[in-house]
Amino acid sequence: MNGNAVDTAMEEHLEMDHAAAHDLYEYPDPDLFPQFSWIGQGEVQEGRIAASDSHHSFLQGQDQGVQDFISGVTHDGFNASDPDFDSQEGDMVSDEQMSDEDSDDNSEDLQKSANLGSSRRGRGGGRGRGGGARGGPRGKRGIRKAFEPSFKFKGLLSKATTAFIEHDYEEAEDYAQEAILNNPEIFSAYSLLSEIHLARGDKHRALIALFHGAHTRHRDTKIWFSVAERILERAGEDRSHWLRPAVYCYSRVIGTDSSDIEARRRRAALNLELAHLGTAAKDYKSLLKQSPYHTAILRCLAEVQLKLEKPEVAIQRYDETIAHYQSLEPDVATTFTWSDVNVYAELLLHCKQYDLGVFRIKELSRWLLGRGSDDFWNLYCEDDREFDLLDDPRRIEVVEFVSGKWESSTYGEGLPLELRINLGLLRLKTEDRGYNEALKHFLWLAPEHNEPGAILFSYTDLFREVADALRSVGQYEDALRFYEPLQQILDNSDSTLCGDMALCYRKLGSLKEAERWYNAMLLNDESNVPVRIELSRMFEDAGLSERSLPYLNDISLITSHGIQSESTKPPKQDKTVDDTSPDTPALLAPSNRKGPKKSSSSKNFETIDKEEATLVLYIQMRALKRESYNGDHTSRRLEWMTIAETLTNRFRKKKAFYPADKHTRLVLPSKDVRRKRARLQSALGNDPKDGDMDNQPAPSRYDQGIDAATFTEYDGVSLENWLDVFLEYALLLAQDGNVSCAYKTLQDAYDANVFYYSPGFIFRVQICWSRCALIANDQKTICNVARYFMKDYQFITDSYRFFMILNRLCEGTNISFNAGPLQKYVLRQVKAMDFSLIGEPQISASFQEKASYTTKDDSGNPIKAEYMDIGLLMLYGQTLYAGTSYSYALNYFFRAYALDPTNPAINLFIGLGYLHHSVKRQSENRHHLVVQGLSFLSVYYEVRQRSEHPSERQEAEFNLGRAYHMLGLAHVAVPYYERCLELSGTIQGMGEEGFIEDFAEEAAFSLQSIWAGSGENGSAQKIMEEWLVI
């Protein structure tokens, strides 16, 4: 509003005669002064506010009032700063739902207050408007009329207008403020004050005055609408600062007239701009109730529902709208256009309803092109031949198709390019011939043409969308066909495009091209750490660790520079961040994120969170490992172990991996964590949606490894590689003699729920645990670890054989092998096997306890034994044998003997069992026991002598000689020992690969003891010098 307009308006206002004014305005009590919440603090004297000596105090009250509003504190407890605020609730709901009768009650209450004030001054008065007795007829309903300005107000406003016209803004402001202090209920004074502030260049105070002035006519929709428009028009660069006041203005309009479509539409648009999605969605739904099939509103609702991740709501609305328009005549249904079909297609694509999307797009396109009656095309869903450019070769193959019935523009030529691409994107996700059909649609973009005027220059966004979609499904070569034309337009300025192209070349094995595009990203940002991480990882995966070292060195320099710039103040310890040990590398050291403005390098360092730092350390550790393989073992070992300790500590402090209940499955990362990972992927040029993990099931305990659809990596390192770090670190600790720390490391890996629910991972942990126990020669731990294999691989012979092998390799006593708990555990295994094999009628009579099945199939059902396991029977027999319970051991040896009578091991242990039992003090008929034992040993000897391996024949010679030697028949044992020594030369001469078990030293020692015990010292000396001297 310019100065002339203001002057003209004020002159017309002052020339209004008193009678006409009486008809337009209702006069309040002269002593009544309404108290407005936006007015500054003033002294109240006899119902009036005493004007302050300084007019600026009033403006300060205005500024504070709007600042409070913008901060979220508004009148009547209205809170607009809440993102989920619904302006139809609270104060606005009361206004919007207020009836005319309620409005009149408010006016009557105000008049009662006026009369009450008059009665205190001795003035009589009636009941206010409407007069009459209680319960009588009410006064007029509707918007309250404006107050009559006083003569002093008119004079002040006239002076302010004159000063404004003469550009004396300071004097005009003083007069306008004094006028407002005299009659703060008149809107025109606020409007003039706003124009004065605007003319002086104080846009902020101009909007404040305008906003507060609207409250003088709080039910006048025209004023609120006008104020909202002027606020948005004058906000300029501070638009975001004034969006909430504008929303408030439109809410006041809606509160007075809930049928005002334009106000609701504008409020919805502003709420969408403010990201108040819930409120915007409610407004658009209300608009659709008033205009059920308005396509423009429907498109806005679709946009909001997509951002709310609730596209199914918009899809339902579109289905209803489409059904309505299809029921109308074609010349009437003109408002439903290709844009609506395009939005509908994007909604279906977002909901992953690919097959339905293809069907509906083709059906709607056919309808818009005027061929709605050709519904036979719905039978041909396997491809999109209906929208080929030419009838030949595919369209003419359809029997129902009649060439020339419709113009060619109603087929392939008539389908808009944007919709065709959406159809291709839907086809790309379908299973049946999806990729080939999608590529046919994508090639309409003609990526090979890049001359001026080509499609590329008009549809750059479609090229990018197609390329990203092809990359996401692993079609990297075709994706490059659409990426490369974009590079010619965008050059190397688009880092995301460079990252996408680098990824495609990397997946295709073209490391040179991938490195070139990664380096193009570094040209735009020399301190980009994520790109260097990917380059290092790329060369490490390719086995070119020497090419990754320069990038690792750059990362160290950048991060160390960032840490130094952050270390100007002592870092504050954040309890929510994992603490680090004194030996923690600098990448994981905590840094102070607050402080003065930082350089670009320092800012880049702030983006290097612990996820990226962990990945850098892992790549460095892999490089050190490769160097140790090349011979530099000693110098790199300590450095490797330091990094490994840091990484394992980092992993241990992730609370989600170690819940209070160990059996609690992994809780997938929160939205904040996924947002951080998406930021990292975006920095690398990858699609952050590729790793989306919403609504993903928890892994099953019996899955063969954690499925790729669940949780596969942490801090950029795969779970498999994390486990390798734990296991290799534990082995090195065990080799250094730090067995307890090695066991602790393995226990932490075992307890982590990301490993615990994967049998493949736990199997590797147990194998490494047994290896560490063998290094430490810890038989107790060996037996405990071996029990895992018998439990998880029940009734599998190799699990029992593995138990025996571990104990065979462990040197020392066999106390743990024949301990009571182990014997009972193996006995339960035997009972479980017998329980599953015996007939059902005999179970209750033969067993008093239920069998314990510890292995289950994929469905969770117990796996029972299908045959009698000889290995299990021999294992339990040997535990009894090692505990000198020979008679009990023989029972299980004979059960095995019945299944395999020619097995040399079974015959050996039966024979030894008899011999050892015969020499016990309480044995009866010793000679009979000895004869029985020797008979089984002879069978064992004959079987071994038929072997083609000399080592097995030597074994039989030594065992028979040792048996006779134990019985005191030394003269019978000597020939066996001598033949054992003779076979030693044959065994050593054959040069068998791998481990060779030669019993020559044992046989020589036994033979020497025989000669020495019988007085043949010369023969004993000769044996010792030949076989026992090192």
Side-chain angles (χ1 to χ4, degrees):
M1 182 182 294
N2 55 34
N4 294 331
V6 173
D7 185 41
T8 302
M10 290 305 304
E11 288 177 359
E12 293 176 356
H13 185 72
L14 293 174
E15 291 173 0
M16 184 181 299
D17 63 272
H18 183 74
H22 189 280
D23 295 336
L24 291 175
Y25 301 99
E26 177 182 358
Y27 290 89
D29 191 322
D31 291 329
L32 176 65
F33 186 85
Q35 299 296 315
F36 295 94
S37 58
W38 59 86
I39 295 194
Q41 299 295 330
E43 298 180 4
V44 180
Q45 298 178 354
E46 297 184 357
R48 293 187 180 273
I49 294 182
S52 173
D53 292 337
S54 174
H55 298 303
H56 295 285
S57 62
F58 173 72
L59 288 178
Q60 292 173 358
Q62 281 189 318
D63 290 343
Q64 184 60 42
V66 172
Q67 290 299 336
D68 289 343
F69 176 85
I70 295 173
S71 301
V73 182
T74 62
H75 309 296
D76 303 323
F78 176 80
N79 189 348
S81 64
D82 185 1
D84 297 325
F85 163 72
D86 181 5
S87 55
Q88 297 181 9
E89 299 177 0
D91 181 59
M92 291 301 96
V93 169
S94 63
D95 283 342
E96 186 172 341
Q97 296 177 350
M98 184 183 294
S99 63
D100 291 338
E101 182 178 355
D102 295 332
S103 176
D104 187 69
D105 287 342
N106 291 341
S107 299
E108 183 178 358
D109 292 339
L110 181 62
Q111 185 63 35
K112 288 179 180 179
S113 300
N115 293 335
L116 182 60
S118 300
S119 63
R120 287 197 295 267
R121 290 168 176 77
R123 301 191 184 114
R127 293 185 176 272
R129 286 180 301 168
R134 185 184 300 274
R138 296 180 180 271
K140 293 184 294 183
R141 301 175 181 178
I143 299 176
R144 185 186 302 123
K145 293 181 180 179
F147 291 99
E148 173 69 16
S150 64
F151 291 103
K152 183 177 181 180
F153 172 85
K154 295 176 181 178
L156 291 171
L157 193 62
S158 176
K159 293 178 181 180
T161 305
T162 302
F164 177 71
I165 294 173
E166 295 175 355
H167 303 288
D168 189 355
Y169 300 126
E170 184 174 355
E171 184 177 355
E173 180 182 355
D174 292 339
Y175 283 128
Q177 290 188 13
E178 189 174 352
I180 291 174
L181 287 173
N182 277 271
N183 284 94
E185 67 278 4
I186 307 300
F187 175 73
S188 57
Y190 292 92
S191 179
L192 178 58
L193 181 61
S194 175
E195 295 296 331
I196 294 171
H197 287 315
L198 189 63
R200 298 179 69 176
D202 194 344
K203 181 175 59 179
H204 182 74
R205 297 181 69 185
L207 294 178
I208 289 176
L210 192 64
F211 178 76
H212 279 305
H215 287 81
T216 62
R217 301 298 300 254
H218 70 280
R219 298 190 65 79
D220 192 331
T221 58
K222 293 182 179 179
I223 288 181
W224 283 108
F225 209 104
S226 175
V227 169
E229 289 182 331
R230 289 162 73 178
I231 285 176
L232 295 175
E233 179 183 350
R234 298 175 179 178
E237 297 180 355
D238 296 333
R239 178 180 176 84
S240 60
H241 188 72
W242 288 96
L243 287 178
R244 286 191 179 93
V247 169
Y248 179 82
C249 294
Y250 287 126
S251 297
R252 298 306 296 253
V253 176
I254 297 170
T256 302
D257 183 9
S258 60
S259 62
D260 194 318
I261 294 178
E262 183 62 19
R264 194 179 295 275
R265 184 190 66 79
R266 295 193 181 191
R267 185 177 73 170
L270 293 179
N271 278 317
L272 179 59
E273 191 173 350
L274 284 167
H276 296 177
L277 302 179
T279 307
K282 289 180 181 179
D283 275 337
Y284 285 128
K285 290 176 183 178
S286 298
L287 288 170
L288 286 176
K289 289 181 180 179
Q290 296 174 290
S291 302
Y293 308 112
H294 198 294
T295 55
I297 298 174
L298 189 57
R299 285 195 292 269
C300 295
L301 178 64
E303 179 184 358
V304 176
Q305 294 298 335
L306 276 176
K307 293 181 178 180
L308 285 172
E309 297 295 332
K310 295 180 180 179
E312 60 278 355
V313 176
I315 290 176
Q316 181 181 358
R317 295 276 187 173
Y318 262 104
D319 289 336
E320 296 171 358
T321 303
I322 290 170
H324 167 75
Y325 281 111
Q326 287 183 333
S327 64
L328 303 176
E329 294 296 328
D331 56 341
V332 178
T334 57
T335 57
F336 192 88
T337 62
W338 291 109
S339 298
D340 299 296
V341 181
N342 211 29
V343 174
Y344 185 56
E346 292 178 1
L347 290 171
L348 293 172
L349 184 63
H350 189 83
C351 282
K352 301 181 180 180
Q353 299 182 17
Y354 307 124
D355 293 323
L356 177 62
V358 170
F359 179 83
R360 293 289 280 166
I361 286 180
K362 293 166 65 175
E363 181 186 40
L364 292 173
S365 300
R366 189 184 315 124
W367 170 59
L368 288 177
L369 289 170
R371 295 187 295 105
S373 59
D374 284 357
D375 55 356
F376 63 86
W377 287 109
N378 294 334
L379 302 176
Y380 300 91
C381 300
E382 66 278 0
D383 56 40
D384 302 325
R385 65 180 67 188
E386 177 185 2
F387 294 100
D388 287 351
L389 180 61
L390 302 175
D391 295 342
D392 185 59
R394 298 199 303 174
R395 203 154 48 219
I396 59 176
E397 296 177 356
V398 178
V399 178
E400 297 87 348
F401 171 71
V402 178
S403 181
K405 179 180 179 181
W406 305 99
E407 295 182 4
S408 60
S409 60
T410 61
Y411 290 99
E413 294 179 5
L415 190 66
L417 188 57
E418 298 93 333
L419 191 59
R420 182 179 289 278
I421 297 304
N422 273 330
L423 182 59
L425 294 174
L426 288 165
R427 276 292 185 189
L428 190 63
K429 301 294 184 177
T430 58
E431 297 180 358
D432 185 18
R433 299 180 59 185
Y435 171 69
N436 293 329
E437 201 66 29
L439 193 60
K440 286 183 173 65
H441 292 297
F442 296 155
L443 291 178
W444 279 69
L445 293 173
E448 65 279 0
H449 297 293
N450 56 2
E451 65 277 1
I455 297 177
L456 170 65
F457 297 93
S458 302
Y459 295 97
T460 305
D461 57 331
L462 295 183
F463 271 78
R464 185 60 181 271
E465 192 172 0
V466 168
D468 290 343
L470 290 170
R471 175 180 55 80
S472 66
V473 297
Q475 299 295 335
Y476 303 108
E477 188 172 357
D478 285 322
L480 287 172
R481 296 176 63 182
F482 295 89
Y483 277 135
E484 289 174 350
L486 289 174
Q487 181 268 333
Q488 299 176 11
I489 297 178
L490 303 176
D491 199 9
N492 295 336
S493 58
D494 190 341
S495 296
T496 308
L497 175 62
C498 295
D500 290 336
M501 296 184 68
L503 177 63
C504 292
Y505 281 117
R506 177 179 174 183
K507 293 294 185 179
L508 293 173
S510 181
L511 300 185
K512 183 178 180 180
E513 286 295 318
E515 184 181 17
R516 182 169 72 90
W517 287 109
Y518 278 134
N519 287 329
M521 296 177 68
L522 294 178
L523 291 176
N524 298 327
D525 183 4
E526 296 181 355
S527 57
N528 194 321
V529 172
V531 172
R532 288 180 169 86
I533 292 174
E534 286 301 305
L535 281 165
S536 302
R537 177 187 280 180
M538 179 180 71
F539 289 124
E540 282 291 328
D541 293 341
L544 302 173
S545 58
E546 66 281 356
R547 297 187 63 181
S548 68
L549 291 179
Y551 298 106
L552 291 174
N553 294 334
D554 291 344
I555 293 171
S556 299
L557 290 175
I558 294 172
T559 53
S560 62
H561 182 272
I563 293 173
Q564 291 172 5
S565 64
E566 292 287 340
S567 62
T568 57
K569 295 182 179 180
K572 295 181 179 180
Q573 295 297 330
D574 186 358
K575 294 183 179 180
T576 62
V577 180
D578 301 336
D579 296 330
T580 53
S581 63
D583 296 332
T584 301
L587 284 173
L588 292 183
S591 61
N592 182 19
R593 298 283 174 165
K594 299 180 180 180
K597 187 175 181 180
K598 305 171 182 63
S599 63
S600 60
S601 176
S602 179
K603 287 182 179 180
N604 186 272
F605 171 71
E606 287 188 356
T607 65
I608 306 173
D609 54 18
K610 287 196 173 182
E611 178 173 342
E612 299 164 4
T614 300
L615 186 57
V616 171
L617 289 176
Y618 176 72
I619 295 175
Q620 290 178 343
M621 190 171 63
R622 289 179 59 180
L624 291 172
K625 185 177 179 180
R626 291 183 180 276
E627 291 180 10
S628 65
Y629 288 159
N630 295 332
D632 192 7
H633 176 73
T634 305
S635 61
R636 296 300 186 184
R637 179 187 177 97
L638 181 60
E639 187 176 355
W640 189 97
M641 292 184 68
T642 301
I643 297 177
E645 181 183 9
T646 301
L647 291 177
T648 53
N649 288 337
R650 168 88 170 101
F651 189 92
R652 289 185 184 105
K653 292 176 182 177
K654 183 67 175 176
K655 294 182 179 179
F657 296 161
Y658 298 94
D661 182 5
K662 186 179 74 172
H663 300 288
T664 301
R665 287 181 170 85
L666 173 67
V667 178
L668 293 177
S670 64
K671 291 184 178 179
D672 291 338
V673 177
R674 290 197 297 273
R675 225 176 275 122
K676 182 178 73 172
R677 183 172 292 110
R679 178 179 59 77
L680 174 61
Q681 295 298 327
S682 298
L684 298 173
N686 299 334
D687 187 358
K689 294 183 179 180
D690 292 347
D692 188 17
M693 296 180 293
D694 284 337
N695 303 321
Q696 294 176 349
S700 170
R701 175 68 176 88
Y702 297 96
D703 292 341
Q704 294 301 318
I706 294 181
D707 188 73
T710 55
F711 189 83
T712 59
E713 68 173 34
Y714 171 61
D715 275 2
V717 180
S718 67
L719 291 181
E720 185 173 0
N721 291 334
W722 272 111
L723 184 61
D724 288 340
V725 173
F726 273 89
L727 301 185
E728 293 178 19
Y729 182 53
L731 285 173
L732 291 178
L733 288 173
Q735 291 173 4
D736 290 346
N738 198 349
V739 180
S740 59
C741 289
Y743 289 168
K744 177 64 168 58
T745 301
L746 293 171
Q747 185 66 51
D748 290 338
Y750 181 83
D751 291 339
N753 53 13
V754 289
F755 300 143
Y756 181 79
Y757 289 98
S758 173
F761 287 163
I762 294 300
F763 181 86
R764 294 172 58 190
V765 171
Q766 297 292 347
I767 290 291
C768 183
W769 214 321
S770 62
R771 173 59 179 159
C772 292
L774 286 175
I775 293 174
N777 200 30
D778 185 358
Q779 189 182 44
K780 180 179 179 181
T781 302
I782 284 177
C783 292
N784 291 334
V785 171
R787 287 176 61 171
Y788 157 80
F789 297 100
M790 292 191 292
K791 177 176 69 70
D792 273 30
Y793 300 92
Q794 194 178 28
F795 310 133
I796 296 179
T797 303
D798 287 342
S799 65
Y800 308 121
R801 294 177 63 191
F802 185 70
F803 182 91
M804 295 299 299
I805 290 172
L806 290 177
N807 282 274
R808 171 67 180 82
L809 295 176
C810 185
E811 301 176 357
T813 60
N814 57 357
I815 297 176
S816 299
F817 180 75
N818 58 14
L822 181 61
Q823 289 187 5
K824 294 177 182 179
Y825 178 80
V826 180
L827 178 60
R828 288 195 297 270
Q829 295 275 318
V830 175
K831 287 183 177 181
M833 179 181 64
D834 293 341
F835 189 92
S836 59
L837 293 176
I838 195 171
E840 289 293 333
Q842 303 179 22
I843 290 179
S844 58
S846 303
F847 297 92
Q848 296 181 354
E849 59 183 17
K850 190 175 181 180
S852 176
Y853 300 114
T854 58
T855 305
K856 298 181 181 180
D857 57 18
D858 295 336
S859 302
N861 300 318
I863 299 177
K864 298 182 179 181
E866 298 179 356
Y867 54 88
M868 190 73 68
D869 197 308
I870 297 177
L872 178 58
L873 295 172
M874 290 297 296
L875 174 60
Y876 185 59
Q878 287 169 1
T879 58
L880 295 172
Y881 177 89
T884 68
S885 298
Y886 304 114
S887 59
Y888 297 107
L890 287 171
N891 292 329
Y892 294 93
F893 289 155
F894 273 113
R895 289 184 63 179
Y897 178 81
L899 298 173
D900 190 2
T902 60
N903 188 295
I906 296 175
N907 283 277
L908 173 64
F909 279 101
I910 292 177
L912 293 178
Y914 275 118
L915 293 182
H916 284 289
H917 186 53
S918 67
V919 299
K920 296 188 70 173
R921 181 174 59 85
Q922 296 180 348
S923 297
E924 298 179 357
N925 200 352
R926 300 175 185 274
H927 295 85
H928 177 69
L929 294 175
V930 170
V931 171
Q932 285 184 309
L934 291 176
S935 64
F936 282 99
L937 286 176
S938 63
V939 174
Y940 157 75
Y941 182 80
E942 291 174 359
V943 173
R944 280 302 195 205
Q945 289 301 315
R946 291 196 294 268
S947 174
E948 60 182 6
H949 300 288
S951 58
E952 293 182 356
R953 297 198 299 271
Q954 186 196 41
E955 172 201 305
E957 298 289 351
F958 175 77
N959 284 334
L960 262 292
R962 189 73 185 86
Y964 285 116
H965 194 178
M966 179 186 67
L967 294 173
L969 302 176
H971 63 288
V972 181
V974 169
Y976 289 99
Y977 286 145
E978 291 177 345
R979 285 195 292 270
C980 181
L981 294 176
E982 293 174 0
L983 287 171
S984 176
T986 304
I987 293 172
Q988 297 295 333
M990 291 182 64
E992 296 181 3
E993 296 182 359
F995 175 73
I996 299 176
E997 194 169 20
D998 189 356
F999 294 93
E1001 293 181 357
E1002 289 83 354
F1005 180 80
S1006 299
L1007 193 58
Q1008 180 207 28
S1009 63
I1010 292 176
W1011 294 131
S1014 60
E1016 294 289 338
N1017 295 330
S1019 299
Q1021 182 71 20
K1022 182 180 178 181
I1023 291 293
M1024 181 186 67
E1025 292 177 353
E1026 183 178 356
W1027 296 99
L1028 302 179
V1029 175
I1030 299 176

